């Protein structure tokens, strides 16, 4: 089996690059092109149109575009979670330099991907944990995590959710993390590999296997040098921050999911946030009430889930 896959991602995937460096993609006959996406609606538009074969995305996005017709695209599709990738990689609420306490966020501008995206919903929960109601701040859509980092550093927003190396750059520039996601929403799943239906299924499953093997090598400490080099190159991190990123990849609370198995309790957290902040009904029934049942087809294959 040989084939090319186009994968859409918000931030450059160090895991994918390590997979390539270790020969795990080539061993499976895969030629993977990573395509940056500006926002979650753009990512799923491209996925549904066939411009992307797979996506590295928030599991909440898969839930929204599978079950909720009120999503930004206004349509649902047979999008599925193929494998778990990470537990958030440092997800937290970061304030612009100069803001170090939650009371400074009253009346603040808060940057999100789009207001109903998974990271936005988690962000609302973090702000609530700090005593802030939705009326206490103004939400503005700014797109992908790298774009939100740029906006934070430029002063175009007062706080936002960052992860995947972007938070390390923010900290290095003087930004403070006000609260970690895993301190409020646990267990949590940050990134999954997703696709549509059976489109290029064998190749996407082969990619999931390569990413899983790379995650095992990283978490076992067998790919430190490669991971640091790829983090520095892909994320523009100096070596000191690239080494911190490596430790984040290995972190049992926030790091890689070495076996690729979707934790159902983590998915309950993700679905619970959506039901709390953007409840969706059809015919008076909650469309997400049974979202995690095997018969609903969110997890593909169903055996990819476990506790």
């Amino acid at each position: 089996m040989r084939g090319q896959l186009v994968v859409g991602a918000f931030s450059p995937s160090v895991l994918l690059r390590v997979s390539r460096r270790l020969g795990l993609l080539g061993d499976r006959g895969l030629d993977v092109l990573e395509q940056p996406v500006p926002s979650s609606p753009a990512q799923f538009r491209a996925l549904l149109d066939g411009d992307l074969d797979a996506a590295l995305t928030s599991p909440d996005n898969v839930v929204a575009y599978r079950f909720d017709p009120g999503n930004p695209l206004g349509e649902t599709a047979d999008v599925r979670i193929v494998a778990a990738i990470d537990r958030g990689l440092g997800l937290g609420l970061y304030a612009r330099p100069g803001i170090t306490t939650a009371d400074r966020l009253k009346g603040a501008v808060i940057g999100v991907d789009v207001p109903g995206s998974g990271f936005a919903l988690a962000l609302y929960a973090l702000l609530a944990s700090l005593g802030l109601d939705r009326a206490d701040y103004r939400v503005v859509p700014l797109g992908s995590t790298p774009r939100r980092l740029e906006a934070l550093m430029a002063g175009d927003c007062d706080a936002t959710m960052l992860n995947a190396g972007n938070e390390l750059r923010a900290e290095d520039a003087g930004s403070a993390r006000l609260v970690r996601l895993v301190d409020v929403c646990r267990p949590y799943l940050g990134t999954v590999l997703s696709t549509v239906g059976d489109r290029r299924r064998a190749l996407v499953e082969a990619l999931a296997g390569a990413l899983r093997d790379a995650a095992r090598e990283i978490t076992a400490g067998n790919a430190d040098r490669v991971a640091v080099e790829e983090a520095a190159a892909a994320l523009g991190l100096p070596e000191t921050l690239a080494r911190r990123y490596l430790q984040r990849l290995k972190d049992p609370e926030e790091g890689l999911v070495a076996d690729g198995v979707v934790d159902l309790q983590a998915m309950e957290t993700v679905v619970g946030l959506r039901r709390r902040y953007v409840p969706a009904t059809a015919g008076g029934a909650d469309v997400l009430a049974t979202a995690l049942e095997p018969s609903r087809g969110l997890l593909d294959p169903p055996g990819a889930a476990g506790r």
Side-chain angles (χ1 to χ4, degrees):
M1 177 185 66
R2 301 198 67 83
Q4 183 180 77
L5 286 175
V6 182
V7 178
F10 301 110
S11 298
S13 173
V14 174
L15 181 62
L16 179 61
R17 285 160 172 76
V18 171
S19 300
R20 185 178 291 113
R21 281 277 301 275
L22 296 180
L24 299 170
L25 298 180
D27 288 347
R28 290 166 170 81
L30 294 174
D31 178 14
V32 180
L33 173 64
E34 186 180 35
Q35 181 69 46
V37 293
S39 66
S40 53
Q43 183 184 52
F44 275 77
R45 181 74 275 160
L47 191 61
L48 299 188
D49 289 347
D51 296 325
L52 297 176
D53 298 307
L56 293 169
T57 193
S58 163
D60 174 83
N61 287 330
V62 190
V63 171
Y65 289 101
R66 183 174 183 86
F67 297 120
D68 184 3
N71 65 62
L73 298 183
E75 61 179 297
T76 57
D78 186 18
V79 288
R80 309 172 184 180
I81 294 174
V82 179
I85 301 299
D86 66 61
R87 299 178 180 87
L89 295 183
L91 267 173
L93 175 65
Y94 283 81
R96 62 175 171 79
I99 296 179
T100 58
T101 58
D103 62 297
R104 295 280 305 278
L105 295 182
K106 287 254 185 173
V109 174
I110 307 296
V112 298
D113 172 9
V114 293
S117 69
F119 285 2
L121 306 183
L123 184 150
Y124 304 151
L126 296 190
L127 290 167
S129 76
L130 297 174
L132 295 167
D133 296 325
R134 289 290 297 276
D136 291 331
Y137 52 87
R138 180 165 62 91
V139 172
V140 295
L142 295 172
S144 65
T145 307
R147 291 187 174 195
R148 297 197 308 276
L149 172 62
E150 291 176 3
L152 188 70
M153 293 298 97
D156 294 333
C157 67
D158 298 303
T160 190
M161 188 81 88
L162 297 175
N163 75 327
N166 298 281
E167 85 288 0
L168 298 177
R169 292 175 58 196
E171 290 175 2
D172 194 51
S175 178
R177 179 166 66 177
L178 301 184
V179 59
R180 296 193 312 164
L181 180 65
V182 294
D183 289 335
V184 177
C185 304
R186 73 166 62 208
Y188 190 79
L189 186 59
T191 306
V192 297
L193 178 66
S194 175
T195 191
V196 178
D198 290 326
R199 181 190 303 167
R200 316 206 74 190
R201 178 187 180 114
L203 291 175
V204 175
E205 289 181 351
L207 173 59
L211 296 176
R212 180 181 61 245
D213 288 350
R216 286 173 172 164
E217 289 297 300
I218 292 171
T219 55
N222 298 329
D224 287 3
R225 179 181 59 81
V226 171
V228 168
E229 290 175 356
E230 292 301 326
L235 304 176
L237 300 176
E239 184 174 351
T240 54
L241 296 187
R243 292 193 175 279
R244 286 183 60 193
Y245 184 81
L246 171 63
Q247 295 310 308
R248 186 139 286 161
L249 291 175
K250 296 180 178 181
D251 188 281
E253 285 191 307
E254 301 182 283
L256 295 170
V257 180
D259 60 8
V261 174
V262 176
D263 181 347
L264 285 180
Q265 289 183 318
M267 284 301 301
E268 287 168 2
T269 301
V270 171
V271 172
L273 287 169
R274 177 158 288 276
R275 296 176 74 187
R276 174 181 175 184
Y277 288 108
V278 282
T281 60
D286 180 352
V287 301
L288 299 182
T290 60
L292 298 180
E293 293 183 1
S295 61
R296 299 300 303 276
L298 176 65
L299 305 178
D300 183 26
R307 292 185 184 274

